[in-house]
Amino acid sequence: MKYKLITAILFGLIFTTSTFGQQSTREVLTLEKNWRFHNGDVANGSSKSLNDSKWEKVTVPHDWAIKGPFDKEIDIQNVAIVQNGEEVATKKTGRTGALPYIGIGWYRNEFSIPNFNSDKKVILLFEGAMSEPEVFINGKKIGSWNYGYSYFYFDITPHILGTSENTLAVKLTNRELSSRWYPGAGLYRNVRLIVKNNESINQWGTFITTPLITSELAKVNIKTKVSGEQLTLVSRIKDASGKTVAIDSTAAIYGNEFEQNIAVNNPNLWSPETPYLYTSVSRLYAGNILKDETSTKFGIRKIKYEANKGFSLNDSIIKFKGVCLHHDLGPIGTAVNKAALRRQLTILKDMGTNAIRSSHNMPSLEQLELCDEMGFMFLAESFDEWAKPKVENGYHRYFETDAEKDIVNLVQATRNHPSIVMWSSGNEVPDQWGSEGAKRAKWLQDIFHREDPTRPVTVGMDQVEATMASGFGAVLDIPGLNYRVHLYDEAYKAFPQGLILGSETASTVSSRGIYKFPVVAAKMKEYDDFQSSSYDLEACSWSNIPDEDFVLQDDKPWVIGEFVWTGFDYLGEPTPYDTKWPSRSSYFGINDLAGLPKDRYYLYRSRWNIKEKTLHMLPHWNWEGREGEVTPVFVYTSYNSAELFVNGKSMGIQKKNNSSPTNRYRLMWMDVKYEPGTIKVVAFDDEGKAVAEQVTNTAGKPYKLVLEADKTQLDADGKDLSFVTVSVVDKNGIPCPTATNQLQFNVKGDGVFRAACNGDATSLEMFHLPTMKLFSGKLVVLVQSVSKAGEIELKVTGKGLQTAKIKITTKN
Ligand code: GAL
């Protein structure tokens, strides 16, 4: 009753003020268009009078290096990678992707603020700038930031030229030997101008937590930092349908912070299966004048990490079925794109993934929004280096001066995302060795705790023995182990937390659709074609195959989950071919660089996706020249047993069993001899009934192209993407798994060709050119909308092949 009465009064207040308060509140302008870009240094690049009309016209987010060309000489690193156990330096080509990201770049944009006056405050927000951004307004340097992955902002009010035009210039510097992977280059995330009143809610000033949750009620705590005097804050909580479910008004301020505690009845809890989001609308009043209004999405969910019990979400124990992701989006580089991120998450969702780790840096805000909406838990990481270097020009140069402010910005900008359930202050930092390391771990963890008392902190540790000895591991809220499956038991006993996280696991290497014989487990295995086998038995000297992690995940209740290295291939780090040109992107991905699933996808899916069944057979069955030779067949399936047939002849029934990790999680027929034709697997349920089957046929010659789009309707916003998978089939419609035809792409109508990718880590074909070879019979074409609604046609042609076309519509 009491709640209803308060609600009624408050609704009255809001109604009155929105009628009388005519003052505008805040405007957020995303600076996307009309940027000018220059690759290289310019003496007077920030000057207002500079004529930049000859500079390249670009839109932001922008990655200046992704168009290549690939070049072996770029960022050659003559190093011994100590973390990988190397003792002698070797010449690493392609470690950072062999794309031209080194050097200086300038960006310029003109903007004006027509309603600017002395009551206004202007904030300039960067959601990431690669790297070492120096920011100038009207020729004057107003600030800089070192870490390319940080979000940061400046109050630029004193520099605004009234209502006339202002010149924003940003200088970026990327140094050689500054990264272990492709970091991208440029204004690769959004730049926003926020124009608000002097009396307003501070940037990242809202912090929402849910300290008490029962099925009847959740206590929502909202802290709001503001500027100004004599203010009243009204917070209105809306459910997912937009209906107001609670409202509170307060004038009691503690310093510059309001604190409200609001009850939400019968709360809908957020989880990966039910990603329910509430919105808190904050309105700030001076008297009855509305001064500011912001909206913050949040979730109501309970997280707990308990010794020996594990991690629980909303009181149910669950394990992280997670993947690590680098931030590049393959053929479009690091320029953030929501459609590309959404596609990645859609693929991962189908695999049964429930968590993402942003390795080894701050995630994009778009990725967090999508994880909130689509239901993924998130481990948000900050650094790959602390004070001790991994690469000569890495983050260690800034650690002492910048680590605190970088963490503060990470936490303040992202802490309302329900998806984030843990922070990571570092990955395999060499500071694990030596007595200073544990102190640094504590210092960083304390900053996280100060900024957000609700989530624990981990570090991905690879020097497990050192961290047991030094106390480093004991300091952490959650001890995270990178690889080292053989040390889990010892670490569990040595560390006082009573649980272990597989912060980074597997690092199995494979190339989509490539199979090598004989089929044997191997470490750091190299082949003449610089590919790795998709039988999924090859890993690095420090790493292992997925099955070994599965054993720990299944058998040890105190192991709280894993984050597999990696969900998708990424640019750079072409292990095991770090010294072999033209390898220029990773082999670690469960999906390739084009986002196409490798076989391993189905191995994880067979365990992780508990809603749908998996039945997947490998290899392909086109082995001309291998007739009569042993060609093992593996099946990744959620069923426990199956029978294999080669041209109708039974090869016997296989059952999962505990004789080895691979026998526990895969069905394997090791002695099959190749003969062209048909292989068929028939899966049985636990009663022995045949319930599903899969067939693979030997294909004839490539005959016809086939297109399949992930979306055939796009938003006409100039950003949305359709990912069209192109494959080739023979006369009978059978996919040709080894085809390498050179194809051409033509986009007509209200859209543009954005890029293509075939997932071949050794390809030097440029992503943005409308031609590419198939790799293992497939590639992906990215078609982008323009801002005009209409129809797009993609036509794909190849010599001697039947052409294919697809129509995509776009709407406003
Ligand atoms: C880990 C490291 C990752 C990546 C991976 C490759 O040691 O944290 O960034 O290098 O190895 O296996």
Side-chain angles (χ1 to χ4, degrees):
M1 277 316 283
K2 195 170 150 219
Y3 162 67
K4 277 198 182 138
L5 184 65
I6 295 171
T7 310
I9 294 167
L10 287 168
F11 272 127
L13 171 68
I14 285 159
F15 180 73
T16 320
T17 45
S18 57
T19 312
F20 293 109
Q22 291 304 316
Q23 198 160 349
S24 73
T25 54
R26 65 168 59 205
E27 282 170 80
V28 180
L29 179 66
T30 304
L31 296 178
E32 288 180 316
K33 300 214 166 95
N34 301 321
W35 286 90
R36 293 282 173 176
F37 167 69
H38 180 77
N39 195 346
D41 203 5
V42 182
N44 56 349
S46 66
S47 153
K48 197 161 168 55
S49 58
L50 177 88
N51 179 358
D52 58 17
S53 60
K54 297 254 157 57
W55 290 18
E56 189 187 348
K57 204 170 172 190
V58 298
T59 54
V60 164
H62 178 244
D63 178 346
W64 87 56
I66 191 59
K67 290 186 177 173
F70 292 103
D71 183 344
K72 183 181 179 183
E73 300 305 318
I74 296 172
D75 204 22
I76 287 188
Q77 302 196 1
N78 271 306
V79 288
I81 305 176
V82 183
Q83 309 92 255
N84 295 1
E86 294 178 6
E87 284 165 6
V88 182
T90 52
K91 189 169 161 188
K92 270 125 190 134
T93 46
R95 192 180 188 200
T96 49
L99 290 164
Y101 82 98
I102 307 286
I104 289 174
W106 277 93
Y107 289 83
R108 287 166 62 95
N109 198 323
E110 310 274 316
F111 67 90
S112 55
I113 302 174
N115 60 349
F116 186 77
N117 60 44
S118 60
D119 293 332
K120 297 284 179 201
K121 194 182 274 187
V122 184
I123 303 289
L124 176 61
L125 169 70
F126 292 84
E127 294 177 357
M130 193 61 73
S131 85
E132 303 181 24
E134 294 169 66
V135 182
F136 306 82
I137 305 279
N138 301 320
K140 185 163 185 278
K141 183 162 172 179
I142 55 118
S144 61
W145 205 272
N146 291 317
Y147 196 31
Y149 294 104
S150 266
Y151 333 110
F152 61 95
Y153 64 90
F154 302 112
D155 181 344
I156 58 168
T157 318
H159 311 288
I160 296 296
L161 298 177
T163 54
S164 25
E165 210 157 59
N166 300 282
T167 304
L168 164 64
V170 185
K171 180 184 178 186
L172 297 160
T173 305
N174 288 308
R175 293 168 203 264
E176 287 178 320
L177 302 171
S178 59
S179 185
R180 299 193 297 116
W181 56 85
Y182 176 66
L187 294 177
Y188 71 111
R189 288 183 179 165
N190 278 302
V191 181
R192 304 189 204 271
L193 271 178
I194 300 157
V195 182
K196 55 184 191 167
N197 292 314
N198 281 323
E199 291 155 308
S200 52
I201 297 166
N202 294 358
Q203 183 64 25
W204 306 327
T206 304
F207 184 19
I208 305 180
T209 57
T210 50
L212 187 126
I213 302 168
T214 67
S215 52
E216 291 81 42
L217 167 134
K219 175 177 163 181
V220 179
N221 177 282
I222 308 179
K223 296 190 175 70
T224 312
K225 287 203 164 77
V226 298
S227 302
E229 308 286 324
Q230 308 260 310
L231 300 167
T232 306
L233 180 72
V234 179
S235 293
R236 174 201 293 244
I237 296 176
K238 294 181 173 182
D239 67 12
S241 71
K243 193 173 130 224
T244 298
V245 292
I247 194 159
D248 180 77
S249 167
T250 181
I253 193 158
Y254 310 89
N256 68 341
E257 185 173 82
F258 289 106
E259 174 159 345
Q260 293 166 295
N261 286 291
I262 307 175
V264 168
N265 293 322
N266 307 317
N268 288 293
L269 302 191
W270 184 95
S271 74
E273 293 74 37
T274 58
Y276 195 98
L277 295 175
Y278 289 89
T279 303
S280 170
V281 179
S282 314
R283 286 185 170 169
L284 189 70
Y285 294 89
N288 63 359
I289 314 249
L290 179 63
K291 288 290 183 178
D292 198 5
E293 176 169 335
T294 59
S295 268
T296 309
K297 285 206 170 143
F298 69 100
I300 299 178
R301 84 304 174 259
K302 216 191 281 184
I303 55 170
K304 238 190 288 168
Y305 295 83
E306 291 170 286
N308 306 317
K309 280 198 186 154
F311 166 68
S312 62
L313 179 70
N314 303 327
D315 297 323
S316 302
I317 300 280
I318 52 171
K319 295 209 182 202
F320 296 111
K321 301 188 274 189
V323 297
C324 301
L325 293 179
H326 266 318
H327 67 304
D328 80 63
L329 294 165
I332 60 170
T334 57
V336 71
N337 180 290
K338 222 168 168 175
L341 287 165
R342 191 189 294 278
R343 170 181 179 249
Q344 284 195 334
L345 292 174
T346 304
I347 292 166
L348 293 173
K349 193 80 178 175
D350 177 68
M351 193 170 85
T353 315
N354 67 11
I356 309 288
R357 170 185 182 226
S358 61
S359 42
H360 304 295
N361 39 257
M362 291 74 183
S364 68
L365 300 178
E366 290 80 357
Q367 191 180 34
L368 291 174
E369 276 164 29
L370 287 168
C371 285
D372 289 349
E373 276 169 32
M374 296 171 74
F376 288 88
M377 295 178 285
F378 210 95
L379 168 49
E381 194 154 81
S382 44
F383 309 122
D384 192 50
E385 272 184 26
W386 294 351
K388 290 190 180 178
K390 281 184 185 171
V391 281
E392 200 173 306
N393 289 318
Y395 187 76
H396 66 272
R397 292 179 298 144
Y398 314 121
F399 178 76
E400 297 293 348
T401 49
D402 292 14
E404 176 163 2
K405 64 180 188 178
D406 284 327
I407 291 178
V408 167
N409 283 15
L410 164 63
V411 178
Q412 292 192 356
T414 66
R415 61 193 169 182
N416 295 319
H417 288 280
S419 51
I420 300 180
V421 294
M422 199 189 298
W423 305 107
S424 164
S425 65
N427 172 64
E428 298 187 356
V429 290
D431 312 61
Q432 288 165 102
W433 289 294
S435 57
E436 288 305 302
K439 287 189 201 155
R440 290 187 192 120
K442 178 174 155 42
W443 176 57
L444 298 173
Q445 184 166 281
D446 286 348
I447 299 169
F448 275 104
H449 288 169
R450 183 189 76 207
E451 297 301 316
D452 171 20
T454 72
R455 298 174 177 95
V457 180
T458 190
V459 170
M461 299 182 288
D462 61 330
Q463 300 308 317
V464 182
E465 274 141 339
T467 59
M468 286 184 205
S470 66
F472 185 110
V475 166
L476 306 175
D477 296 328
I478 309 287
L481 259 58
N482 284 11
Y483 314 101
R484 313 298 183 276
V485 285
H486 58 288
L487 290 175
Y488 271 53
D489 275 308
E490 205 179 325
Y492 168 62
K493 284 186 203 121
F495 294 140
Q497 296 88 339
L499 40 81
I500 297 286
L501 169 69
S503 41
E504 200 174 301
T505 62
S507 267
T508 300
V509 286
S510 63
S511 306
R512 178 180 54 77
I514 303 289
Y515 306 90
K516 302 291 187 185
F517 304 96
V519 175
V520 281
K523 295 276 169 97
M524 303 306 271
K525 180 80 185 161
E526 295 185 23
Y527 300 93
D528 291 348
D529 60 356
F530 303 159
Q531 304 292 352
S532 297
S533 179
S534 252
Y535 277 102
D536 299 324
L537 294 172
E538 293 172 9
C540 305
S541 52
W542 57 91
S543 70
N544 53 271
I545 56 170
D547 318 60
E548 292 184 50
D549 296 309
F550 295 164
V551 170
L552 292 168
Q553 299 298 324
D554 282 349
D555 294 354
K556 316 275 182 195
W558 42 266
V559 176
I560 63 172
E562 65 167 320
F563 288 87
V564 179
W565 192 264
T566 45
F568 291 84
D569 274 330
Y570 52 94
L571 292 161
E573 210 181 26
T575 314
Y577 300 107
D578 302 281
T579 58
K580 300 283 168 17
W581 184 254
S583 291
R584 49 64 173 164
S585 57
S586 79
Y587 299 79
F588 294 117
I590 294 172
N591 297 279
D592 72 12
L593 197 70
L596 295 170
K598 300 180 188 172
D599 293 297
R600 250 186 299 150
Y601 176 89
Y602 300 95
L603 183 57
Y604 285 100
R605 190 183 193 274
S606 68
R607 266 175 48 77
W608 285 2
N609 184 336
I610 47 174
K611 290 199 197 115
E612 285 152 298
K613 295 288 184 195
T614 297
L615 181 60
H616 175 78
M617 182 165 46
L618 62 132
H620 63 70
W621 212 240
N622 267 61
W623 295 109
E624 210 182 326
R626 288 191 58 76
E627 288 77 6
E629 289 187 51
V630 172
T631 307
V633 174
F634 287 11
V635 169
Y636 299 159
T637 179
S638 38
Y639 298 104
N640 281 321
S641 67
E643 184 167 8
L644 179 72
F645 298 89
V646 176
N647 290 332
K649 290 186 296 277
S650 173
M651 299 288 120
I653 293 177
Q654 290 289 335
K655 263 200 176 84
K656 289 183 189 167
N657 62 73
N658 282 342
S659 61
S660 71
T662 43
N663 278 310
R664 186 164 165 188
Y665 297 103
R666 315 179 186 199
L667 299 176
M668 299 180 293
W669 287 261
M670 296 305 291
D671 306 323
V672 178
K673 297 221 168 93
Y674 176 65
E675 55 184 69
T678 301
I679 52 172
K680 180 167 94 172
V681 64
V682 178
F684 304 114
D685 66 10
D686 289 340
E687 277 75 53
K689 205 166 108 217
V691 281
E693 63 175 57
Q694 265 278 307
V695 170
T696 304
N697 292 303
T698 305
K701 290 210 168 55
Y703 174 73
K704 182 175 135 186
L705 290 162
V706 177
L707 308 185
E708 197 188 332
D710 73 329
K711 285 189 295 190
T712 51
Q713 191 162 73
L714 300 181
D715 290 339
D717 60 1
K719 293 184 266 194
D720 206 357
L721 294 170
S722 176
F723 289 80
V724 183
T725 301
V726 182
S727 54
V728 62
V729 296
D730 71 4
K731 267 203 166 115
N732 300 315
I734 297 167
C736 302
T738 58
T740 54
N741 306 61
Q742 186 80 41
L743 306 182
Q744 281 77 39
F745 320 117
N746 186 275
V747 175
K748 273 198 328 214
D750 305 302
V752 292
F753 168 81
R754 172 81 190 259
C757 185
N758 61 14
D760 177 359
T762 68
S763 166
L764 298 181
E765 289 184 287
M766 285 180 269
F767 300 122
H768 68 290
L769 298 180
T771 177
M772 191 169 277
K773 269 181 160 176
L774 291 166
F775 177 64
S776 296
K778 286 187 180 172
L779 57 75
V780 174
V781 174
L782 284 67
V783 176
Q784 186 169 298
S785 66
V786 292
S787 38
K788 176 172 167 284
E791 206 166 83
I792 314 175
E793 183 192 85
L794 165 68
K795 185 167 97 179
V796 183
T797 53
K799 210 169 146 203
L801 298 174
Q802 218 175 79
T803 296
K805 289 180 187 171
I806 192 165
K807 284 217 166 13
I808 296 161
T809 55
T810 73
K811 59 172 184 17
N812 286 122

